[in-house]
Amino acid sequence: MENISFYVDDKEVIIDVDPSTRLLDVLRIKLHITGVKEGCGEGACGACSVIVDGVCYDSCLTPVANVIGKHITTIEGFRNTPQYRIIADAFADFGASQCGFCTPGMILNTYTLLKKNPHPTEEEVRVALSGNLCRCTGYNAIVKAVLDIAENGGDIEW
Amino acid sequence: MVKHYIPSTLKEALEVLDKHDCYIMAGGTDLMVVKHQRSGLIPNFDKDVCYISNLEELQYIFEDEKGVHIGAGTKFSDIEENELVPEILKQIIHELASPNIRNMATMAGNIANASPAGDSIVGLYLLDAELELVNINGSRMMPIKDFIFGVRKIHREKNELIKEIFIPHHDDLNTYWRKVGSRAAESISKITFAGGYEVENGKVKDLRMAFGSVSITCVRDRKTEEKYIGMSVEELHNHVEDIIKDMGKFVTPITDQRSTKEYRYKVAMNILKDFILTIE
Ligand SMILES: Cc1cc2nc3c(=O)[nH]c(=O)nc-3n(C[C@@H](O)[C@@H](O)[C@H](O)COP(=O)(O)OP(=O)(O)OC[C@H]3O[C@@H](n4cnc5c(N)ncnc54)[C@H](O)[C@@H]3O)c2cc1C
Ligand code: FES
Ligand code: FES
């Protein structure tokens, strides 16, 4: 066990854990942030996505030692931002969320995409979301929602 | 009880490795999959672990007159975006795993994992990349083709880590990349092929061919390549069946859950043919 500290949704966290513990387990079990989902547990579905210092990671493959001192944003922190509102509204308008299991990961990856590239092409959207699996929507609704934000999202600062 | 070491400098890391037989944890995208047990349980490490992902000293890309130097801790996404990096490596990385994994994983980890399906390895063989291995006493350089000698088998001493990947300049080499997988993203390769050529005054000045996933290690053979260097482009095209025969000797794929050996062989040879015929 080791004292490990980092920031989650702007709050400093110091916990005593085995450094190889998956970040996903720390978030869900120790910190009760269950908005972060576990799908495959092996890096193949993106349900466990979180933002680490500005880019998305699969938290199921991240040993907590790798995020020491870093800033993590989960869907539960992100949902309090105006950027979240825009993405969530577009997802609702286009029917881009059905069971919702993939949605936290989809939303965070949409955000990191738009932050880097506010006007992506359809191809760029598909590439950016290629690590996020969805068993319900067939993807087209999600891609349309993201493209709609890119076109009609106004002047928001991503 | 296994111990976990989280060094804050490269020197500290090398001291740890000198005293303890450790797993080196970089991005974790291979190690965490292999050692995972069940949600809620800590991964099942049977030896100590040394975490190097946060060592800033290992995160750099620069060039000098000889080539490009990539620090072992540099993540794939940073390599892909760097203008000094050869185009073929960018292409390879763009199709490797998924965006999230590219944000976490390192090329050094891809090399050290020494999977026959390690995509970056094929590009690095093509470009004659070398690795800098360091321990507390110093460092040595080793060509990647000598470093990997089998499935998950590498010439690393227990107290060493890969510090850097060095790619000699190849400004005039035209390159070609094909990856055959089950789908566009996140698929482990069934076959990969990296090709390179230079043509000057209608003559083949350099020719390079490297296959991944078709044998225990990446396949490249300089002797075979040299046989065809010096030919005119037309002669080269006329020899395409001979090239297929020559390279075919090294292409010894297996049947596994991803594909059959017959499929792999046939597709590999079709790709090789396409590469040769695109040379002009
Ligand atoms: C869903 C999924 C899809 C994938 N798709 C692909 C794909 O399409 N193509 C592909 O090639 N790979 C793919 N991979 C594997 C790829 O992510 C890894 O090979 C990655 O590059 C390993 O880097 P890492 O930093 O995560 O290494 P780690 O998992 O941390 O380490 C891997 C190995 O390298 C050793 N190591 C790491 N750094 C060093 C160093 N500096 N010196 C010495 N040893 C070191 C470790 O000890 C370990 O043995 C995929 C993985 C997943 C989970
Ligand atoms: S749970 Fe992490 S990628 Fe599927
Ligand atoms: S909405 Fe059900 S998995 Fe995407």
Side-chain angles (χ1 to χ4, degrees):
Chain A
M1 304 294 262
E2 196 115 9
N3 265 329
I4 288 193
S5 72
F6 48 99
Y7 300 84
V8 178
D9 297 329
D10 289 331
K11 282 192 227 54
E12 186 174 19
V13 174
I14 302 174
I15 44 165
D16 193 25
V17 286
D18 180 294
S20 69
T21 310
R22 305 185 305 166
L23 176 60
L24 175 66
D25 289 330
V26 171
L27 295 171
R28 285 182 56 87
I29 299 172
K30 294 242 189 299
L31 304 176
H32 308 292
I33 302 177
T34 50
V36 184
K37 299 300 176 202
E38 172 159 18
C40 65
E42 49 187 48
C45 77
C48 64
S49 296
V50 296
I51 300 175
V52 177
D53 283 357
V55 298
C56 277
Y57 276 33
D58 291 327
S59 61
C60 69
L61 296 186
T62 304
V64 68
N66 279 11
V67 300
I68 291 173
K70 294 191 188 288
H71 288 263
I72 293 161
T73 304
T74 72
I75 191 68
E76 298 195 13
F78 186 63
R79 61 175 296 182
N80 303 316
T81 64
Q83 290 87 348
Y84 168 83
R85 213 40 289 149
I86 290 176
I87 299 173
D89 287 348
F91 270 52
D93 289 347
F94 284 84
S97 178
Q98 289 182 27
C99 80
F101 200 80
C102 69
T103 310
M106 289 288 180
I107 287 185
L108 293 175
N109 277 278
T110 297
Y111 169 68
T112 50
L113 165 68
L114 292 174
K115 198 170 160 62
K116 214 161 106 179
N117 178 4
H119 299 288
T121 61
E122 175 172 345
E123 171 65 17
E124 286 167 338
V125 173
R126 289 191 186 272
V127 168
L129 300 181
S130 60
N132 295 79
L133 301 193
C134 174
R135 306 217 295 186
C136 306
T137 66
Y139 302 101
N140 288 341
I142 297 172
V143 173
K144 281 195 187 126
V146 179
L147 288 171
D148 184 70
I149 304 167
E151 231 167 87
N152 307 312
D155 292 331
I156 177 127
E157 181 77 30
W158 291 103
Chain B
M1 267 291 278
V2 303
K3 286 222 178 61
H4 296 269
Y5 300 96
I6 311 174
S8 46
T9 63
L10 177 59
K11 183 161 174 281
E12 261 176 61
L14 296 177
E15 281 161 8
V16 167
L17 294 179
D18 203 57
K19 289 199 201 81
H20 313 276
D21 181 13
C22 288
Y23 285 106
I24 297 175
M25 177 84 78
T29 66
D30 282 317
L31 269 183
M32 292 295 281
V33 175
V34 180
K35 300 299 175 190
H36 176 52
Q37 318 195 64
R38 228 162 7 96
S39 11
L41 288 188
I42 56 169
N44 187 19
F45 284 101
D46 49 359
K47 299 196 288 206
D48 297 350
V49 186
C50 178
Y51 297 82
I52 62 162
S53 168
N54 289 337
L55 295 179
E56 300 218 337
E57 288 156 276
L58 294 180
Q59 313 201 3
Y60 58 84
I61 302 179
F62 71 88
E63 76 173 336
D64 57 19
E65 66 284 358
K66 293 205 186 104
V68 180
H69 304 252
I70 302 177
T74 317
K75 308 289 193 286
F76 272 129
S77 48
D78 294 324
I79 301 175
E80 187 190 353
E81 281 168 17
N82 193 291
E83 52 174 20
L84 301 175
V85 171
E87 199 47 43
I88 187 165
L89 278 182
K90 293 180 178 223
Q91 257 175 298
I92 292 172
I93 295 168
H94 192 69
E95 293 179 9
L96 188 151
S98 65
N100 288 12
I101 289 177
R102 296 195 288 272
N103 288 334
M104 307 159 67
T106 62
M107 194 148 77
N110 201 236
I111 297 166
N113 193 49
S115 156
D119 290 340
S120 72
I121 296 171
V122 186
L124 294 168
Y125 264 67
L126 190 84
L127 298 172
D128 292 328
E130 293 185 31
L131 307 175
E132 184 186 1
L133 298 157
V134 291
N135 64 17
I136 49 163
N137 303 315
S139 85
R140 61 184 177 123
M141 296 296 292
M142 191 180 239
I144 186 168
K145 70 173 169 38
D146 300 332
F147 182 68
I148 300 175
F149 66 96
V151 179
R152 306 201 185 286
K153 296 209 169 77
I154 55 175
H155 285 295
R156 176 178 85 84
E157 301 299 330
K158 285 195 173 115
N159 68 354
E160 284 180 318
L161 62 74
I162 302 173
K163 174 171 178 283
E164 176 176 299
I165 300 143
F166 170 72
I167 305 167
H169 284 311
H170 289 92
D171 294 338
D172 300 324
L173 194 72
N174 300 290
T175 53
Y176 173 107
W177 168 248
R178 286 284 181 284
K179 167 169 173 166
V180 181
S182 305
R183 61 193 188 97
E186 282 188 345
S187 56
I188 309 292
S189 299
K190 294 174 179 175
I191 300 152
T192 51
F193 175 79
Y197 65 93
E198 271 178 60
V199 173
E200 207 177 66
N201 304 326
K203 282 220 158 66
V204 179
K205 199 174 150 206
D206 195 1
L207 179 68
R208 299 171 183 219
M209 300 169 281
F211 280 109
S213 281
V214 299
S215 187
I216 54 167
T217 63
C218 174
V219 164
R220 193 183 153 201
D221 184 59
R222 191 60 184 160
K223 282 225 173 66
T224 303
E225 294 169 358
E226 278 168 352
K227 242 173 98 174
Y228 300 95
I229 292 174
M231 284 185 176
S232 71
V233 171
E234 200 190 332
E235 273 176 287
L236 184 77
H237 289 174
N238 292 339
H239 280 82
V240 68
E241 294 305 326
D242 298 324
I243 299 174
I244 287 175
K245 220 179 278 161
D246 283 349
M247 285 305 286
K249 281 185 255 161
F250 303 104
V251 175
T252 51
I254 54 165
T255 295
D256 65 11
Q257 73 269 29
R258 293 196 293 280
S259 199
T260 64
K261 56 177 192 255
E262 293 80 12
Y263 173 85
R264 282 194 163 108
Y265 185 85
K266 185 136 201 247
V267 175
M269 293 308 134
N270 287 345
I271 295 171
L272 178 59
K273 187 166 184 174
D274 182 65
F275 165 65
I276 296 295
L277 297 180
T278 54
I279 296 177
E280 50 183 38

